[in-house]
């Protein structure tokens, strides 16, 4: 089995970050979303990965190359414009050959991975399998209508009147018959080749498509609130051997509680760190109160501040804000405050913000 990871989309709902960073590279719980995806693919034993990339191809390649712990072989497939998920399958035809494959959307977070779908695909041998989950707002997704055995009768893309609350997530398992289906369909109203239409074509031509329900936490990290939710969920599951993983230096005047990770070369002085919390390498935290639910990137500087439920990207510098909540501070952005009031800040890369009392 191979994997096809889609990392070409533009991420317009994650602006301003996606003006300067691919949406799949925004870090959650200390790692780019894409690296979490690739780890989940490696967990099911797949090593040969095709990655569909768009205009931010170079950044994506750099991150995958740096993540040597993944031990995978990556093939990059260029897509000139986001033209739909089924278009990605079409342009990956040479890479995929006649192998079965898992297609994984590079902005999706499945906190407990995709083992159950992989096992169901191996056991039931359908022509295709979609991983579905219950959502209170199915109108915003692909929605399936299934029979009691989980066999799909119909799929609808963002229907006004959903036939169920089971939505299609970003982990699909395919046999090579999908290639005929992606060739048979036409672009949708939004001008894209929809994978939902390709799957419906399989159903209409007598193929067996099954749905496997995923019951743990799943989100696509399309918006800032979704990113922060993913950050919190993933941090809460930091595994036990990471707990107490303090590679940097924490001075005797600092207090640690809960699961805290402090990267190599990081210096923490006179601060309170409350897990779940990850601080990257080469950061400096002074007279501050960090966590829970917070990821502080590599090389960040935090002084006289209190930060909860937030993400600071690489090199961010925060000074003098004792109650920063649910915030996202971009790479090498600088935030200076003289205000003790609670604040929520969404600050793009390289920005400078001064928050007065
Ligand atoms: C795509 C699929 C949709 C699926 C969703 C999951 O939607 O078309 O069926 O439910 O991903 O994230 P898009 O994010 O392209 O609107």
């Amino acid at each position: 089995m191979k994997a096809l990871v889609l990392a070409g989309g533009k991420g317009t709902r994650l602006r301003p970050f996606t003006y300067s960073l691919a949406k799949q590279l925004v870090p959650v719980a200390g790692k780019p979303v894409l690296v979490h995806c690739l780890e989940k693919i490696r967990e099911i034993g797949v090593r040969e990965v095709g990655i569909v990339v768009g205009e931010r191809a170079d950044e994506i390649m750099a991150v995958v190359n740096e993540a040597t712990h993944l031990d995978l072989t990556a093939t990059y497939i260029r897509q000139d414009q986001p033209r739909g998920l089924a278009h990605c399958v079409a342009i990956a035809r040479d890479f995929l050959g006649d192998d079965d494959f898992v297609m994984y959307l590079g902005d999706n977070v499945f906190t407990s991975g995709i083992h159950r779908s992989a096992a169901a695909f191996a056991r039931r041998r359908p022509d295709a399998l979609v991983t579905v989950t219950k959502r209170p707002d199915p109108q915003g997704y692909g929605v399936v209508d299934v029979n009691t055995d989980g066999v799909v009768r119909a799929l609808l893309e963002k229907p006004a009147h959903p036939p169920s609350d089971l939505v299609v997530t970003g982990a699909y398992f395919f046999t090579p018959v999908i290639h005929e289906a992606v060739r048979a369909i036409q672009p949708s109203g939004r001008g894209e080749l929809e994978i939902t239409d390709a799957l419906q074509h399989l159903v209409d031509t007598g193929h067996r498509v099954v749905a496997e329900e995923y019951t743990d936490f799943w989100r696509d990290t399309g918006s800032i609130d979704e990113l922060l939710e993913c950050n919190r969920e993933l941090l809460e599951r930091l595994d036990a051997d990471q707990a107490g993983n303090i590679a940097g230096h924490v001075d005797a005047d600092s207090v640690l509680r809960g699961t805290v990770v402090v990267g190599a070369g990081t210096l923490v002085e006179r601060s309170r760190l409350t897990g779940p919390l990850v601080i990257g390498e080469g950061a400096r935290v002074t007279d501050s109160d960090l966590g829970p639910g917070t990821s502080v990137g590599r090389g960040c500087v935090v002084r006289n501040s209190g930060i909860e439920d937030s993400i600071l990207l690489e090199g961010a510098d925060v000074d003098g804000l004792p109650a920063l909540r649910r915030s996202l501070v971009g790479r090498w952005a600088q935030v200076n405050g003289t205000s003790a009031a609670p604040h929520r800040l969404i600050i793009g890369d390289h920005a400078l913000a001064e928050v007065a009392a």
Side-chain angles (χ1 to χ4, degrees):
M1 164 130 30
K2 289 178 178 159
L4 184 64
V5 175
L6 310 195
K10 284 195 200 297
T12 45
R13 287 186 298 139
L14 280 181
R15 287 175 183 159
F17 300 95
T18 44
Y19 285 125
S20 46
L21 186 67
K23 72 166 169 175
Q24 300 81 7
L25 299 186
V26 178
V28 286
K31 279 181 240 176
V33 179
L34 180 66
V35 173
H36 289 285
C37 296
L38 295 170
E39 287 178 355
K40 299 306 181 204
I41 287 167
R42 291 296 288 122
E43 274 174 22
I44 61 162
V46 176
R47 202 164 167 267
E48 258 185 281
V49 183
I51 305 179
V52 176
V53 289
E55 55 193 21
R56 299 202 171 275
D58 294 349
E59 285 168 22
I60 296 211
M61 289 181 199
V63 167
V64 175
N65 288 340
E66 200 185 318
T68 49
H69 71 286
L70 294 169
D71 185 31
L72 50 80
T73 57
T75 302
Y76 297 94
I77 300 144
R78 301 229 175 212
Q79 189 184 35
D80 57 345
Q81 280 291 320
R83 296 182 195 276
L85 307 186
H87 180 253
C88 296
V89 174
I91 61 175
R93 182 72 178 93
D94 287 348
F95 163 74
L96 294 167
D98 286 327
D99 288 307
D100 291 349
F101 64 100
V102 52
M103 181 169 94
Y104 200 117
L105 305 187
D107 62 353
N108 268 225
V109 169
F110 293 84
T111 46
S112 53
I114 53 169
H115 302 273
R116 285 189 48 174
S117 290
F121 182 69
R123 190 179 65 246
R124 301 185 71 179
R125 292 304 303 151
D127 293 300
L129 179 145
V130 287
T131 308
V132 298
T133 197
K134 289 200 170 103
R135 289 280 311 178
D137 52 350
Q139 297 84 350
Y141 301 90
V143 180
V144 290
D145 176 23
V146 291
N147 75 13
T148 45
D149 292 330
V151 174
V152 175
R153 289 189 288 233
L155 299 104
L156 298 145
E157 187 62 28
K158 305 192 177 70
H161 304 288
S164 77
D165 58 356
L166 286 174
V167 311
V168 179
T169 69
Y172 310 74
F173 288 76
F174 292 120
T175 61
V177 294
I178 193 65
H179 298 297
E180 293 161 34
V182 302
R183 276 198 301 270
I185 59 169
Q186 296 300 318
S188 65
R190 61 172 172 174
E192 296 194 357
L193 286 178
E194 306 288 348
I195 202 68
T196 326
D197 290 343
L199 285 158
Q200 182 65 49
H201 181 83
L202 288 182
V203 173
D204 293 343
T205 49
H207 293 92
R208 204 161 70 99
V209 177
V210 303
E212 177 68 21
E213 188 176 343
Y214 178 83
T215 51
D216 205 345
F217 178 90
W218 167 79
R219 289 285 183 283
D220 74 9
T221 51
S223 69
I224 285 166
D225 283 327
E226 284 164 335
L227 262 183
L228 291 171
E229 276 181 71
C230 288
N231 186 52
R232 182 81 197 216
E233 286 287 333
L234 287 166
L235 283 172
E236 273 166 8
R237 290 159 207 248
L238 283 177
D239 45 32
D241 58 358
Q242 276 191 300
N245 185 353
I246 309 296
H249 179 74
V250 179
D251 76 356
D253 295 326
S254 296
V255 181
L256 271 69
R257 237 184 31 217
T259 306
V260 175
V261 177
V262 178
T266 286
L267 180 59
V268 178
E269 294 172 304
R270 298 178 301 281
S271 294
R272 198 157 56 177
L273 308 183
T274 308
L277 166 70
V278 173
I279 305 176
E281 296 171 6
R284 183 148 189 168
V285 178
T286 317
D287 300 308
S288 292
D289 191 348
L290 299 188
T294 298
S295 301
V296 174
R298 197 150 61 178
C300 285
V301 178
V302 182
R303 279 172 303 240
N304 306 311
S305 294
I307 306 178
E308 249 180 58
D309 273 319
S310 297
I311 302 177
L312 306 192
L313 275 72
E314 180 171 5
D317 184 323
V318 177
D319 190 357
L321 283 166
L324 205 55
R325 303 281 178 268
R326 297 182 55 72
S327 295
L328 202 52
V329 181
R331 294 181 295 169
W332 300 289
Q334 246 184 295
V335 186
N336 302 320
T338 52
S339 166
H343 285 286
R344 175 170 201 221
L345 299 176
I346 310 295
I347 306 282
D349 288 354
H350 302 282
L352 168 64
E354 302 202 350
V355 184

